[in-house]
Amino acid sequence: MVEFEAEHKFLCNSQFGFRKGHSTSHGITHVHEQVIQNLEKKKVSALLFIDLKSAFDTVNTDILIKKLHHYGYRGKFLEFLISYLHNRKQFVINDGISSCLLDVLCGVPQGSVLGPLLFIIYINDIGRSTSNCNNVLFADDAALLASANNINKLKKLVNKEVKLLHEWLIRNKLTLNLLKTKYMLFANKNKITTKARKKFRITIGKYTIHEVDQIKYLGVIIDRNLNWNHHADYLMTKLSSAAGAMYKIRKLLPLKARKLIYNSLAGSYLQYGIAAWGHCSTTVLSRLQAIQNKIIRYMTYSQPQSNVDAHYKDLKILKITELKFYETAKFMHSVYNNRMPVAFQDYFQTINHTHHTRTRANVGYYIPLPRTERGKKSLRYTGVHIWADVPHSFRDCSVQLFEHSLKNYIIFHSSEIVHLNS
């Protein structure tokens, strides 16, 4: 089924869930970039975070079969899928007593290999339900982004699009969890007055969707100012817990085990989504760096306030600004080697810097001209600058070799990298 989809490419480009070469990080990046580009164009945006009730469990089997046929799964293979979906049974055991068997009338089997794939095929045409919005999907986590030149036009547009979306959900027998469906407004300073913000409404039937200043989406906390302060606070909590745990176990485990625990409790949180949230203020980054340093001191029995730069190198652990450089460079390496999801294919324009040779190593990217400081936090801008600092000899390497070589390069040449702290 996956090979068939890869050949015919019928899944929408904005679906980042359960697909090879796609990830939650890509979904975060795509949302972040679209909002920034709208702000650069002096537009007002509304980002609607859609929550579906028991989405996997409420898939209508008959509709799913029609969609499978529509996308080209037919004949004996479709019969096989139908037999897989039909005549499923369910029962409950409580205190050793079993209920009677009942038919499973809807839903795709969760915990199976097929379940997620069948679900993203089922909701694949959700993007076609709206005509003037961008959708970002990760399985049943959906975000709808609408933009306009002013808030009055945005209000009319987004309510029209939400109505169309709601009609699609009804036709496909899916239900919105209205209490958990929220929206956020993004605008440049003085673009929306307090009065206009209070009068702005998104309604579904008689229900009014609530506006929020910040929300957790795909594992990061997005705020309407895009300063990432709320996510930084979340990371501070995680890192503080990691520091406490490291202090308690440091005498019980060897260094190799302590490093594994660091990667699990601290490193993974710092690395995730840093290409976007890593553009928070230098003050916030300094606070996070201070806690990371504390964890390293606990790991290595170092004195309080002591310099731990040598320990970072010995442990081959990247500091926060180094992690941002590393993750952005990995993104650009995928762009350079054409391994990125289609959604990113128009992010960068190539340019050849040499007059006499045309090797891939000399191929770079045009640098956009941001209108605002926020525009300089766009991956379209920072990615090009960071890619220029990546040694040409790394660029055609395999993913594994590139990541290994780049990490060592950052650790031992961080002071020479121009855009490390940009």
PDB file of all heavy atoms in Angstrom, residues 11 15 18 52-60 64 67-68 107-109 113-125 137-141 168 174:
ATOM      1  N   LEU A  11      -1.628  11.147  -1.537  1.00  0.00           N
ATOM      2  CA  LEU A  11      -1.782  11.769  -0.218  1.00  0.00           C
ATOM      3  C   LEU A  11      -1.430  13.250  -0.296  1.00  0.00           C
ATOM      4  O   LEU A  11      -0.480  13.637  -0.985  1.00  0.00           O
ATOM      5  CB  LEU A  11      -0.899  11.073   0.811  1.00  0.00           C
ATOM      6  CG  LEU A  11      -1.329   9.675   1.248  1.00  0.00           C
ATOM      7  CD1 LEU A  11      -0.330   9.100   2.239  1.00  0.00           C
ATOM      8  CD2 LEU A  11      -2.725   9.693   1.870  1.00  0.00           C
ATOM      9  N   GLN A  15       0.055  16.443   4.846  1.00  0.00           N
ATOM     10  CA  GLN A  15      -0.076  15.356   5.821  1.00  0.00           C
ATOM     11  C   GLN A  15       1.325  14.868   6.201  1.00  0.00           C
ATOM     12  O   GLN A  15       2.039  14.291   5.390  1.00  0.00           O
ATOM     13  CB  GLN A  15      -0.888  14.203   5.220  1.00  0.00           C
ATOM     14  CG  GLN A  15      -0.980  12.960   6.109  1.00  0.00           C
ATOM     15  CD  GLN A  15      -1.628  13.205   7.451  1.00  0.00           C
ATOM     16  OE1 GLN A  15      -0.929  13.397   8.451  1.00  0.00           O
ATOM     17  NE2 GLN A  15      -2.958  13.196   7.486  1.00  0.00           N
ATOM     18  N   PHE A  18       2.719   9.522   9.873  1.00  0.00           N
ATOM     19  CA  PHE A  18       2.821   8.129   9.450  1.00  0.00           C
ATOM     20  C   PHE A  18       3.234   7.975   7.990  1.00  0.00           C
ATOM     21  O   PHE A  18       2.701   7.128   7.265  1.00  0.00           O
ATOM     22  CB  PHE A  18       1.487   7.402   9.698  1.00  0.00           C
ATOM     23  CG  PHE A  18       1.035   7.477  11.120  1.00  0.00           C
ATOM     24  CD1 PHE A  18      -0.049   8.264  11.474  1.00  0.00           C
ATOM     25  CD2 PHE A  18       1.702   6.786  12.117  1.00  0.00           C
ATOM     26  CE1 PHE A  18      -0.475   8.352  12.796  1.00  0.00           C
ATOM     27  CE2 PHE A  18       1.288   6.867  13.451  1.00  0.00           C
ATOM     28  CZ  PHE A  18       0.209   7.651  13.780  1.00  0.00           C
ATOM     29  N   LEU A  52     -10.557  16.254  17.003  1.00  0.00           N
ATOM     30  CA  LEU A  52     -11.622  15.337  16.613  1.00  0.00           C
ATOM     31  C   LEU A  52     -11.905  14.346  17.733  1.00  0.00           C
ATOM     32  O   LEU A  52     -10.983  13.850  18.380  1.00  0.00           O
ATOM     33  CB  LEU A  52     -11.231  14.577  15.343  1.00  0.00           C
ATOM     34  CG  LEU A  52     -10.958  15.423  14.095  1.00  0.00           C
ATOM     35  CD1 LEU A  52     -10.489  14.544  12.952  1.00  0.00           C
ATOM     36  CD2 LEU A  52     -12.196  16.204  13.690  1.00  0.00           C
ATOM     37  N   LYS A  53     -13.177  14.048  17.949  1.00  0.00           N
ATOM     38  CA  LYS A  53     -13.568  13.094  18.986  1.00  0.00           C
ATOM     39  C   LYS A  53     -13.270  11.659  18.527  1.00  0.00           C
ATOM     40  O   LYS A  53     -13.819  11.221  17.512  1.00  0.00           O
ATOM     41  CB  LYS A  53     -15.058  13.233  19.307  1.00  0.00           C
ATOM     42  CG  LYS A  53     -15.421  14.441  20.138  1.00  0.00           C
ATOM     43  CD  LYS A  53     -16.910  14.406  20.482  1.00  0.00           C
ATOM     44  CE  LYS A  53     -17.306  15.608  21.341  1.00  0.00           C
ATOM     45  NZ  LYS A  53     -18.752  15.597  21.658  1.00  0.00           N
ATOM     46  N   SER A  54     -12.412  10.974  19.282  1.00  0.00           N
ATOM     47  CA  SER A  54     -12.139   9.553  19.019  1.00  0.00           C
ATOM     48  C   SER A  54     -12.002   9.283  17.522  1.00  0.00           C
ATOM     49  O   SER A  54     -12.669   8.404  16.963  1.00  0.00           O
ATOM     50  CB  SER A  54     -13.259   8.683  19.596  1.00  0.00           C
ATOM     51  OG  SER A  54     -13.440   8.938  20.967  1.00  0.00           O
ATOM     52  N   ALA A  55     -11.119  10.038  16.871  1.00  0.00           N
ATOM     53  CA  ALA A  55     -11.049  10.026  15.406  1.00  0.00           C
ATOM     54  C   ALA A  55     -10.830   8.630  14.826  1.00  0.00           C
ATOM     55  O   ALA A  55     -11.532   8.208  13.905  1.00  0.00           O
ATOM     56  CB  ALA A  55      -9.939  10.967  14.946  1.00  0.00           C
ATOM     57  N   PHE A  56      -9.861   7.882  15.356  1.00  0.00           N
ATOM     58  CA  PHE A  56      -9.557   6.566  14.819  1.00  0.00           C
ATOM     59  C   PHE A  56     -10.729   5.594  15.026  1.00  0.00           C
ATOM     60  O   PHE A  56     -10.945   4.699  14.210  1.00  0.00           O
ATOM     61  CB  PHE A  56      -8.297   5.995  15.473  1.00  0.00           C
ATOM     62  CG  PHE A  56      -7.021   6.508  14.881  1.00  0.00           C
ATOM     63  CD1 PHE A  56      -6.633   7.828  15.047  1.00  0.00           C
ATOM     64  CD2 PHE A  56      -6.189   5.670  14.156  1.00  0.00           C
ATOM     65  CE1 PHE A  56      -5.466   8.312  14.507  1.00  0.00           C
ATOM     66  CE2 PHE A  56      -5.002   6.138  13.604  1.00  0.00           C
ATOM     67  CZ  PHE A  56      -4.631   7.460  13.779  1.00  0.00           C
ATOM     68  N   ASP A  57     -11.457   5.786  16.118  1.00  0.00           N
ATOM     69  CA  ASP A  57     -12.531   4.856  16.468  1.00  0.00           C
ATOM     70  C   ASP A  57     -13.845   5.163  15.764  1.00  0.00           C
ATOM     71  O   ASP A  57     -14.786   4.357  15.837  1.00  0.00           O
ATOM     72  CB  ASP A  57     -12.770   4.867  17.981  1.00  0.00           C
ATOM     73  CG  ASP A  57     -11.606   4.255  18.742  1.00  0.00           C
ATOM     74  OD1 ASP A  57     -10.968   3.332  18.206  1.00  0.00           O
ATOM     75  OD2 ASP A  57     -11.333   4.712  19.868  1.00  0.00           O
ATOM     76  N   THR A  58     -13.950   6.316  15.110  1.00  0.00           N
ATOM     77  CA  THR A  58     -15.227   6.685  14.489  1.00  0.00           C
ATOM     78  C   THR A  58     -15.156   6.694  12.963  1.00  0.00           C
ATOM     79  O   THR A  58     -16.091   7.171  12.310  1.00  0.00           O
ATOM     80  CB  THR A  58     -15.690   8.068  15.000  1.00  0.00           C
ATOM     81  OG1 THR A  58     -14.659   9.034  14.766  1.00  0.00           O
ATOM     82  CG2 THR A  58     -16.005   8.027  16.481  1.00  0.00           C
ATOM     83  N   VAL A  59     -14.089   6.173  12.395  1.00  0.00           N
ATOM     84  CA  VAL A  59     -13.991   6.059  10.938  1.00  0.00           C
ATOM     85  C   VAL A  59     -15.105   5.145  10.433  1.00  0.00           C
ATOM     86  O   VAL A  59     -15.280   4.024  10.918  1.00  0.00           O
ATOM     87  CB  VAL A  59     -12.613   5.494  10.526  1.00  0.00           C
ATOM     88  CG1 VAL A  59     -12.610   5.069   9.057  1.00  0.00           C
ATOM     89  CG2 VAL A  59     -11.519   6.525  10.781  1.00  0.00           C
ATOM     90  N   ASN A  60     -15.874   5.640   9.464  1.00  0.00           N
ATOM     91  CA  ASN A  60     -16.956   4.838   8.898  1.00  0.00           C
ATOM     92  C   ASN A  60     -16.383   3.865   7.867  1.00  0.00           C
ATOM     93  O   ASN A  60     -15.779   4.282   6.881  1.00  0.00           O
ATOM     94  CB  ASN A  60     -18.002   5.756   8.250  1.00  0.00           C
ATOM     95  CG  ASN A  60     -19.180   4.995   7.678  1.00  0.00           C
ATOM     96  OD1 ASN A  60     -19.125   4.487   6.570  1.00  0.00           O
ATOM     97  ND2 ASN A  60     -20.247   4.920   8.451  1.00  0.00           N
ATOM     98  N   LEU A  64     -14.749   4.533   4.137  1.00  0.00           N
ATOM     99  CA  LEU A  64     -13.335   4.206   3.956  1.00  0.00           C
ATOM    100  C   LEU A  64     -13.140   3.313   2.740  1.00  0.00           C
ATOM    101  O   LEU A  64     -12.220   3.540   1.935  1.00  0.00           O
ATOM    102  CB  LEU A  64     -12.790   3.516   5.214  1.00  0.00           C
ATOM    103  CG  LEU A  64     -11.360   2.975   5.124  1.00  0.00           C
ATOM    104  CD1 LEU A  64     -10.366   4.091   4.804  1.00  0.00           C
ATOM    105  CD2 LEU A  64     -10.968   2.272   6.423  1.00  0.00           C
ATOM    106  N   LYS A  67     -13.369   5.255  -0.406  1.00  0.00           N
ATOM    107  CA  LYS A  67     -12.176   6.087  -0.618  1.00  0.00           C
ATOM    108  C   LYS A  67     -10.997   5.238  -1.075  1.00  0.00           C
ATOM    109  O   LYS A  67     -10.206   5.664  -1.938  1.00  0.00           O
ATOM    110  CB  LYS A  67     -11.834   6.854   0.666  1.00  0.00           C
ATOM    111  CG  LYS A  67     -12.876   7.910   1.010  1.00  0.00           C
ATOM    112  CD  LYS A  67     -12.428   8.830   2.134  1.00  0.00           C
ATOM    113  CE  LYS A  67     -13.479   9.896   2.399  1.00  0.00           C
ATOM    114  NZ  LYS A  67     -13.028  10.967   3.286  1.00  0.00           N
ATOM    115  N   LEU A  68     -10.843   4.044  -0.523  1.00  0.00           N
ATOM    116  CA  LEU A  68      -9.775   3.138  -0.959  1.00  0.00           C
ATOM    117  C   LEU A  68      -9.941   2.819  -2.442  1.00  0.00           C
ATOM    118  O   LEU A  68      -8.963   2.807  -3.202  1.00  0.00           O
ATOM    119  CB  LEU A  68      -9.798   1.862  -0.124  1.00  0.00           C
ATOM    120  CG  LEU A  68      -9.316   1.990   1.322  1.00  0.00           C
ATOM    121  CD1 LEU A  68      -9.688   0.746   2.123  1.00  0.00           C
ATOM    122  CD2 LEU A  68      -7.801   2.213   1.376  1.00  0.00           C
ATOM    123  N   GLY A 107     -14.490   2.422  12.851  1.00  0.00           N
ATOM    124  CA  GLY A 107     -13.132   2.573  13.363  1.00  0.00           C
ATOM    125  C   GLY A 107     -12.122   1.733  12.611  1.00  0.00           C
ATOM    126  O   GLY A 107     -12.470   0.760  11.935  1.00  0.00           O
ATOM    127  N   VAL A 108     -10.851   2.137  12.714  1.00  0.00           N
ATOM    128  CA  VAL A 108      -9.753   1.346  12.159  1.00  0.00           C
ATOM    129  C   VAL A 108      -8.986   0.739  13.333  1.00  0.00           C
ATOM    130  O   VAL A 108      -8.891   1.344  14.398  1.00  0.00           O
ATOM    131  CB  VAL A 108      -8.808   2.206  11.285  1.00  0.00           C
ATOM    132  CG1 VAL A 108      -9.517   2.654  10.025  1.00  0.00           C
ATOM    133  CG2 VAL A 108      -8.287   3.420  12.053  1.00  0.00           C
ATOM    134  N   PRO A 109      -8.460  -0.477  13.157  1.00  0.00           N
ATOM    135  CA  PRO A 109      -7.786  -1.153  14.271  1.00  0.00           C
ATOM    136  C   PRO A 109      -6.580  -0.366  14.765  1.00  0.00           C
ATOM    137  O   PRO A 109      -5.640  -0.114  14.010  1.00  0.00           O
ATOM    138  CB  PRO A 109      -7.354  -2.491  13.653  1.00  0.00           C
ATOM    139  CG  PRO A 109      -8.252  -2.679  12.473  1.00  0.00           C
ATOM    140  CD  PRO A 109      -8.507  -1.302  11.948  1.00  0.00           C
ATOM    141  N   VAL A 113      -0.371  -2.038  12.122  1.00  0.00           N
ATOM    142  CA  VAL A 113       0.411  -1.340  11.097  1.00  0.00           C
ATOM    143  C   VAL A 113      -0.518  -0.603  10.141  1.00  0.00           C
ATOM    144  O   VAL A 113      -0.226   0.513   9.705  1.00  0.00           O
ATOM    145  CB  VAL A 113       1.299  -2.343  10.328  1.00  0.00           C
ATOM    146  CG1 VAL A 113       1.995  -1.665   9.163  1.00  0.00           C
ATOM    147  CG2 VAL A 113       2.317  -2.974  11.261  1.00  0.00           C
ATOM    148  N   LEU A 114      -1.650  -1.220   9.818  1.00  0.00           N
ATOM    149  CA  LEU A 114      -2.564  -0.652   8.835  1.00  0.00           C
ATOM    150  C   LEU A 114      -3.390   0.511   9.376  1.00  0.00           C
ATOM    151  O   LEU A 114      -3.759   1.405   8.618  1.00  0.00           O
ATOM    152  CB  LEU A 114      -3.525  -1.733   8.340  1.00  0.00           C
ATOM    153  CG  LEU A 114      -3.097  -2.538   7.111  1.00  0.00           C
ATOM    154  CD1 LEU A 114      -4.141  -3.591   6.790  1.00  0.00           C
ATOM    155  CD2 LEU A 114      -2.894  -1.629   5.919  1.00  0.00           C
ATOM    156  N   GLY A 115      -3.689   0.505  10.682  1.00  0.00           N
ATOM    157  CA  GLY A 115      -4.587   1.499  11.243  1.00  0.00           C
ATOM    158  C   GLY A 115      -4.257   2.942  10.884  1.00  0.00           C
ATOM    159  O   GLY A 115      -5.103   3.657  10.320  1.00  0.00           O
ATOM    160  N   PRO A 116      -3.040   3.422  11.181  1.00  0.00           N
ATOM    161  CA  PRO A 116      -2.700   4.813  10.860  1.00  0.00           C
ATOM    162  C   PRO A 116      -2.769   5.125   9.367  1.00  0.00           C
ATOM    163  O   PRO A 116      -3.225   6.203   8.974  1.00  0.00           O
ATOM    164  CB  PRO A 116      -1.263   4.943  11.385  1.00  0.00           C
ATOM    165  CG  PRO A 116      -1.141   3.890  12.428  1.00  0.00           C
ATOM    166  CD  PRO A 116      -1.973   2.749  11.933  1.00  0.00           C
ATOM    167  N   LEU A 117      -2.316   4.178   8.528  1.00  0.00           N
ATOM    168  CA  LEU A 117      -2.347   4.410   7.081  1.00  0.00           C
ATOM    169  C   LEU A 117      -3.782   4.528   6.582  1.00  0.00           C
ATOM    170  O   LEU A 117      -4.109   5.412   5.783  1.00  0.00           O
ATOM    171  CB  LEU A 117      -1.620   3.272   6.354  1.00  0.00           C
ATOM    172  CG  LEU A 117      -1.607   3.340   4.821  1.00  0.00           C
ATOM    173  CD1 LEU A 117      -0.977   4.638   4.340  1.00  0.00           C
ATOM    174  CD2 LEU A 117      -0.877   2.139   4.237  1.00  0.00           C
ATOM    175  N   LEU A 118      -4.661   3.629   7.049  1.00  0.00           N
ATOM    176  CA  LEU A 118      -6.061   3.703   6.653  1.00  0.00           C
ATOM    177  C   LEU A 118      -6.689   5.023   7.098  1.00  0.00           C
ATOM    178  O   LEU A 118      -7.504   5.615   6.385  1.00  0.00           O
ATOM    179  CB  LEU A 118      -6.831   2.526   7.247  1.00  0.00           C
ATOM    180  CG  LEU A 118      -6.481   1.137   6.693  1.00  0.00           C
ATOM    181  CD1 LEU A 118      -7.187   0.049   7.497  1.00  0.00           C
ATOM    182  CD2 LEU A 118      -6.843   1.029   5.213  1.00  0.00           C
ATOM    183  N   PHE A 119      -6.294   5.511   8.275  1.00  0.00           N
ATOM    184  CA  PHE A 119      -6.878   6.748   8.777  1.00  0.00           C
ATOM    185  C   PHE A 119      -6.454   7.954   7.937  1.00  0.00           C
ATOM    186  O   PHE A 119      -7.289   8.797   7.600  1.00  0.00           O
ATOM    187  CB  PHE A 119      -6.493   6.988  10.233  1.00  0.00           C
ATOM    188  CG  PHE A 119      -7.082   8.250  10.791  1.00  0.00           C
ATOM    189  CD1 PHE A 119      -8.411   8.282  11.185  1.00  0.00           C
ATOM    190  CD2 PHE A 119      -6.331   9.405  10.887  1.00  0.00           C
ATOM    191  CE1 PHE A 119      -8.978   9.459  11.661  1.00  0.00           C
ATOM    192  CE2 PHE A 119      -6.885  10.577  11.370  1.00  0.00           C
ATOM    193  CZ  PHE A 119      -8.215  10.605  11.759  1.00  0.00           C
ATOM    194  N   ILE A 120      -5.167   8.045   7.596  1.00  0.00           N
ATOM    195  CA  ILE A 120      -4.738   9.219   6.818  1.00  0.00           C
ATOM    196  C   ILE A 120      -5.300   9.176   5.392  1.00  0.00           C
ATOM    197  O   ILE A 120      -5.463  10.230   4.762  1.00  0.00           O
ATOM    198  CB  ILE A 120      -3.203   9.404   6.818  1.00  0.00           C
ATOM    199  CG1 ILE A 120      -2.478   8.239   6.128  1.00  0.00           C
ATOM    200  CG2 ILE A 120      -2.688   9.614   8.226  1.00  0.00           C
ATOM    201  CD1 ILE A 120      -0.975   8.457   6.007  1.00  0.00           C
ATOM    202  N   ILE A 121      -5.601   7.972   4.880  1.00  0.00           N
ATOM    203  CA  ILE A 121      -6.297   7.876   3.602  1.00  0.00           C
ATOM    204  C   ILE A 121      -7.731   8.377   3.767  1.00  0.00           C
ATOM    205  O   ILE A 121      -8.263   9.096   2.922  1.00  0.00           O
ATOM    206  CB  ILE A 121      -6.277   6.427   3.073  1.00  0.00           C
ATOM    207  CG1 ILE A 121      -4.857   6.039   2.629  1.00  0.00           C
ATOM    208  CG2 ILE A 121      -7.258   6.250   1.897  1.00  0.00           C
ATOM    209  CD1 ILE A 121      -4.688   4.578   2.245  1.00  0.00           C
ATOM    210  N   TYR A 122      -8.345   8.037   4.888  1.00  0.00           N
ATOM    211  CA  TYR A 122      -9.740   8.431   5.155  1.00  0.00           C
ATOM    212  C   TYR A 122      -9.885   9.950   5.196  1.00  0.00           C
ATOM    213  O   TYR A 122     -10.862  10.503   4.665  1.00  0.00           O
ATOM    214  CB  TYR A 122     -10.197   7.823   6.478  1.00  0.00           C
ATOM    215  CG  TYR A 122     -11.669   7.980   6.762  1.00  0.00           C
ATOM    216  CD1 TYR A 122     -12.597   7.125   6.164  1.00  0.00           C
ATOM    217  CD2 TYR A 122     -12.139   8.961   7.632  1.00  0.00           C
ATOM    218  CE1 TYR A 122     -13.963   7.253   6.436  1.00  0.00           C
ATOM    219  CE2 TYR A 122     -13.489   9.093   7.898  1.00  0.00           C
ATOM    220  CZ  TYR A 122     -14.403   8.239   7.299  1.00  0.00           C
ATOM    221  OH  TYR A 122     -15.748   8.376   7.553  1.00  0.00           O
ATOM    222  N   ILE A 123      -8.955  10.645   5.835  1.00  0.00           N
ATOM    223  CA  ILE A 123      -9.090  12.113   5.963  1.00  0.00           C
ATOM    224  C   ILE A 123      -8.289  12.866   4.906  1.00  0.00           C
ATOM    225  O   ILE A 123      -8.135  14.084   4.986  1.00  0.00           O
ATOM    226  CB  ILE A 123      -8.667  12.600   7.369  1.00  0.00           C
ATOM    227  CG1 ILE A 123      -7.167  12.375   7.612  1.00  0.00           C
ATOM    228  CG2 ILE A 123      -9.493  11.940   8.446  1.00  0.00           C
ATOM    229  CD1 ILE A 123      -6.641  13.165   8.797  1.00  0.00           C
ATOM    230  N   ASN A 124      -7.796  12.156   3.898  1.00  0.00           N
ATOM    231  CA  ASN A 124      -6.908  12.772   2.915  1.00  0.00           C
ATOM    232  C   ASN A 124      -7.545  13.952   2.190  1.00  0.00           C
ATOM    233  O   ASN A 124      -6.869  14.925   1.854  1.00  0.00           O
ATOM    234  CB  ASN A 124      -6.456  11.725   1.891  1.00  0.00           C
ATOM    235  CG  ASN A 124      -5.398  12.251   0.946  1.00  0.00           C
ATOM    236  OD1 ASN A 124      -4.372  12.768   1.381  1.00  0.00           O
ATOM    237  ND2 ASN A 124      -5.650  12.144  -0.348  1.00  0.00           N
ATOM    238  N   ASP A 125      -8.852  13.881   1.939  1.00  0.00           N
ATOM    239  CA  ASP A 125      -9.499  14.954   1.185  1.00  0.00           C
ATOM    240  C   ASP A 125     -10.013  16.083   2.070  1.00  0.00           C
ATOM    241  O   ASP A 125     -10.738  16.956   1.601  1.00  0.00           O
ATOM    242  CB  ASP A 125     -10.640  14.389   0.333  1.00  0.00           C
ATOM    243  CG  ASP A 125     -11.688  13.665   1.162  1.00  0.00           C
ATOM    244  OD1 ASP A 125     -11.295  13.030   2.159  1.00  0.00           O
ATOM    245  OD2 ASP A 125     -12.876  13.733   0.815  1.00  0.00           O
ATOM    246  N   LEU A 137      -1.476  18.686   8.759  1.00  0.00           N
ATOM    247  CA  LEU A 137      -2.031  17.502   9.403  1.00  0.00           C
ATOM    248  C   LEU A 137      -0.921  16.611   9.928  1.00  0.00           C
ATOM    249  O   LEU A 137       0.121  16.457   9.293  1.00  0.00           O
ATOM    250  CB  LEU A 137      -2.873  16.693   8.415  1.00  0.00           C
ATOM    251  CG  LEU A 137      -3.967  17.439   7.638  1.00  0.00           C
ATOM    252  CD1 LEU A 137      -4.508  16.555   6.530  1.00  0.00           C
ATOM    253  CD2 LEU A 137      -5.085  17.851   8.580  1.00  0.00           C
ATOM    254  N   PHE A 138      -1.167  16.035  11.103  1.00  0.00           N
ATOM    255  CA  PHE A 138      -0.361  14.917  11.572  1.00  0.00           C
ATOM    256  C   PHE A 138      -1.353  13.904  12.113  1.00  0.00           C
ATOM    257  O   PHE A 138      -1.775  13.982  13.266  1.00  0.00           O
ATOM    258  CB  PHE A 138       0.651  15.325  12.645  1.00  0.00           C
ATOM    259  CG  PHE A 138       1.655  14.225  12.915  1.00  0.00           C
ATOM    260  CD1 PHE A 138       2.845  14.175  12.216  1.00  0.00           C
ATOM    261  CD2 PHE A 138       1.377  13.223  13.836  1.00  0.00           C
ATOM    262  CE1 PHE A 138       3.754  13.147  12.429  1.00  0.00           C
ATOM    263  CE2 PHE A 138       2.278  12.199  14.056  1.00  0.00           C
ATOM    264  CZ  PHE A 138       3.466  12.155  13.354  1.00  0.00           C
ATOM    265  N   ALA A 139      -1.760  12.985  11.219  1.00  0.00           N
ATOM    266  CA  ALA A 139      -2.836  12.045  11.522  1.00  0.00           C
ATOM    267  C   ALA A 139      -4.078  12.848  11.920  1.00  0.00           C
ATOM    268  O   ALA A 139      -4.563  13.656  11.129  1.00  0.00           O
ATOM    269  CB  ALA A 139      -2.414  11.060  12.585  1.00  0.00           C
ATOM    270  N   ASP A 140      -4.587  12.682  13.161  1.00  0.00           N
ATOM    271  CA  ASP A 140      -5.803  13.397  13.545  1.00  0.00           C
ATOM    272  C   ASP A 140      -5.527  14.742  14.199  1.00  0.00           C
ATOM    273  O   ASP A 140      -6.463  15.434  14.618  1.00  0.00           O
ATOM    274  CB  ASP A 140      -6.656  12.535  14.476  1.00  0.00           C
ATOM    275  CG  ASP A 140      -5.897  12.130  15.737  1.00  0.00           C
ATOM    276  OD1 ASP A 140      -4.664  12.098  15.695  1.00  0.00           O
ATOM    277  OD2 ASP A 140      -6.542  11.837  16.761  1.00  0.00           O
ATOM    278  N   ASP A 141      -4.256  15.154  14.317  1.00  0.00           N
ATOM    279  CA  ASP A 141      -3.926  16.499  14.783  1.00  0.00           C
ATOM    280  C   ASP A 141      -3.938  17.431  13.572  1.00  0.00           C
ATOM    281  O   ASP A 141      -3.067  17.345  12.710  1.00  0.00           O
ATOM    282  CB  ASP A 141      -2.541  16.530  15.440  1.00  0.00           C
ATOM    283  CG  ASP A 141      -2.580  16.032  16.870  1.00  0.00           C
ATOM    284  OD1 ASP A 141      -3.475  16.457  17.617  1.00  0.00           O
ATOM    285  OD2 ASP A 141      -1.730  15.204  17.225  1.00  0.00           O
ATOM    286  N   TRP A 168     -17.806  18.989   5.749  1.00  0.00           N
ATOM    287  CA  TRP A 168     -17.010  17.811   5.350  1.00  0.00           C
ATOM    288  C   TRP A 168     -16.990  16.790   6.485  1.00  0.00           C
ATOM    289  O   TRP A 168     -17.125  15.586   6.246  1.00  0.00           O
ATOM    290  CB  TRP A 168     -15.583  18.245   5.001  1.00  0.00           C
ATOM    291  CG  TRP A 168     -14.711  17.101   4.562  1.00  0.00           C
ATOM    292  CD1 TRP A 168     -14.516  16.652   3.295  1.00  0.00           C
ATOM    293  CD2 TRP A 168     -13.924  16.245   5.416  1.00  0.00           C
ATOM    294  NE1 TRP A 168     -13.666  15.569   3.292  1.00  0.00           N
ATOM    295  CE2 TRP A 168     -13.289  15.299   4.567  1.00  0.00           C
ATOM    296  CE3 TRP A 168     -13.701  16.183   6.780  1.00  0.00           C
ATOM    297  CZ2 TRP A 168     -12.437  14.308   5.072  1.00  0.00           C
ATOM    298  CZ3 TRP A 168     -12.859  15.202   7.289  1.00  0.00           C
ATOM    299  CH2 TRP A 168     -12.236  14.285   6.441  1.00  0.00           C
ATOM    300  N   LEU A 174     -17.436  12.300  11.106  1.00  0.00           N
ATOM    301  CA  LEU A 174     -16.451  12.636  12.125  1.00  0.00           C
ATOM    302  C   LEU A 174     -16.983  13.816  12.933  1.00  0.00           C
ATOM    303  O   LEU A 174     -17.722  14.653  12.410  1.00  0.00           O
ATOM    304  CB  LEU A 174     -15.098  12.994  11.495  1.00  0.00           C
ATOM    305  CG  LEU A 174     -14.379  11.861  10.756  1.00  0.00           C
ATOM    306  CD1 LEU A 174     -13.158  12.400  10.033  1.00  0.00           C
ATOM    307  CD2 LEU A 174     -13.972  10.749  11.724  1.00  0.00           C
TER     308      LEU A 174
END
